[in-house]
Amino acid sequence: MFAIHLTLLDVSTAPTGEAGPADVQGALWACAVPGDGLEHVRACALPEGVGLVLYVRAPDREAAELRAYALLDRALAEGPARRFAVAAPP
């Protein structure tokens, strides 16, 4: 299992507050399928959006990152989580 750290930027004009992390976490679990390998999600509010750690089961880090980004693409495509965009990875 690999920990994938990400920052989501709030691209809307509404305040993020505590609803932002809950919206993102809910969207991730709603979109996750067994092939994503998602084990755990940690989300916290940041001034610029949401900090995320996705714990992903995969054979190596590269596969875990690909799975995490594919899941995020689906989760951020609609619903309340669509107000966020993935910041460029470090």
Side-chain angles (χ1 to χ4, degrees):
M1 181 168 47
F2 295 89
I4 309 300
H5 298 260
L6 300 157
T7 299
L8 302 182
L9 301 176
D10 190 345
V11 294
S12 76
T13 57
T16 301
E18 289 305 312
D23 290 341
V24 171
Q25 195 165 6
L28 285 164
W29 284 117
C31 291
V33 297
D36 293 322
L38 186 63
E39 295 277 334
H40 306 287
V41 177
R42 296 288 179 254
C44 66
L46 299 174
E48 67 273 13
V50 174
L52 273 181
V53 181
L54 302 180
Y55 296 88
V56 179
R57 191 176 2 93
D60 56 45
R61 175 161 290 285
E62 182 179 353
E65 289 174 354
L66 289 173
R67 290 177 183 186
Y69 280 105
L71 174 57
L72 272 170
D73 282 346
R74 294 193 315 272
L76 301 180
E78 57 186 68
R82 74 178 177 272
R83 69 188 278 179
F84 297 100
V86 178

